[in-house]
Amino acid sequence: MSEDSSGRSASDLSTASDAGKIDITGFTDSFLRGFRRLWWLVLLLMAAGAAMQYFHTSSYSSSSCTAEATVAVTSVANTDDSNSKADQMASVFPYIVSSGVLNDVIQEDLGLDYIPGSIHVTAIDGSNLITVRVTGSDPEQVYAVLQSVIKNYPTVAQYVVGQTELQIVDDSGVPAVTGFSSVTHGSARRGAMYGLAVGIAMILVYMSLARTIRDEKDLKRTMNVPYLGTLPIYRRKKRRHRKSGISILEHNVQQDYLEAIRLVRTRIQRKLEEKGGKVVMVTSSVPSEGKSTVASNLAVSLAGEGKTVFLVDCDFRNPSVQRTLNIKGSYPGLEKILGGQAELSDALYSYEEKRGLNLYVIPGPKNPGSSHTDLLGSEAMKSFLDQLRNHADYIVLDTPPSDLIADAMLLVQNIDLAVYVVGCDFARTSVIVQGVSELQESGAPFGGCVLNGGKRGSGGYAKSYSYGKNYGYTSRY
């Protein structure tokens, strides 16, 4: 292997070079994800910017028009002196206007109380021509002022430049109103662009602050924890008023999702066999990462192998198993069982008759009341799990997320394996790291992480044709 003069190998140089490169694809993906989450804010900022600029401009701007005329200056006493007279008339005009004499004459001539516009006079170099411009908001008044200036200016200026005559060479006529519409529309566009710029800046800030786990590489780079697999994004036709979650019990289940669940199930089974255990606790960092979905489908997949499985909703605050599996009816829930207010038989939903599966679910109540989460660490909970162990091959516990870590920790002493669900590009990395660390420090038998909602074809699960054809899987789920 070749080395440079500093002793570094070519591979080291290549690695260093790659590390210095900007991950354009990753940056673009992150930006698009940030935009999908904050697009409403960007639109709101653009609309607010456009509205603020429009109203600001319309408050301080008005419609404007300009009437102008080019006139020839002729000296009555000496026609050869006309060019210098034009220069003199243009140069003394500001002083004449500021003195108020010309304004008084024009007001008297037009019968007005004020001059409705601004007047400017400029000389055209090398000629006896001057240009007179009047700008204001009323076209008729602007043109009338222009004519009055041409008529009365020689009289006012004769004491300074001598007696002169003005002859109109070119006249714009009564002007059209211009300027206001284009100014306000232009300001609205500028405001929208300002809002867009602020929105993009906020997305970039969001990208820098909201570090998330996007894929298997991010997980392995961030945390040294076992990886159990990635569940792909589940795509299905939207149905109105549908409230059930993602379940592999559906008739037309997405095949890559089904195979991903099977792979996760196989890895969890292997870890349980190594420990000689039955009880799996499924948790996550924050709500809505798919914890209940993973727990429910794991239980279904285990039962699909002919195993006897109990799925228990241990989330007293926000029970979700019943909704995920679309279970009808009302059930008292685990809290009532542990409190001695309900029997196990009354709280069970069985898939034995309908699906031929030895799957028994203990859903949570539809309307949970005041929760007593301390029951999760009680002797009653231990006795309850011991009772289930006598009848089950596997027990899957859907527990509260680790942002309610005290609730999840109450179960640690009674489980054989803890599975941590990480929603792809969802919770902040710091929150995930803290949750996993606290779970491990509590002494929980940590099994690994499942990435939920990853890209199709991402690492961690086989293609749909791999199972059955190549490995002879006979599992129904």
Side-chain angles (χ1 to χ4, degrees), residues 181-200:
S181 177
S182 60
V183 168
T184 53
H185 289 171
S187 67
R189 286 193 295 270
R190 286 195 301 275
M193 294 304 296
Y194 293 153
L196 177 61
V198 173
I200 291 175

Side-chain angles (χ1 to χ4, degrees), residues 278 280 282 295-296 298-299 302 309-312 394-398:
K278 296 182 176 182
V280 182
V282 181
S296 300
L298 172 62
L302 289 168
V309 182
F310 282 84
L311 171 63
V312 185
Y394 297 104
I395 302 168
V396 180
L397 306 180
D398 177 30

Side-chain angles (χ1 to χ4, degrees), residues 72-136:
V73 180
T74 304
S75 175
V76 175
N78 183 5
T79 55
D80 295 335
D81 196 31
S82 297
N83 289 1
S84 63
K85 294 295 183 182
D87 291 335
Q88 292 178 32
M89 293 187 74
S91 61
V92 302
F93 180 77
Y95 303 101
I96 293 175
V97 171
S98 61
S99 68
V101 178
L102 180 60
N103 288 356
D104 294 338
V105 173
I106 294 174
Q107 290 177 30
E108 183 178 355
D109 181 34
L110 299 178
L112 301 174
D113 296 329
Y114 66 96
I115 301 297
S118 58
I119 307 169
H120 302 278
V121 174
T122 57
I124 299 177
D125 295 338
S127 70
N128 67 327
L129 302 178
I130 63 173
T131 300
V132 183
R133 294 185 181 88
V134 181
T135 301

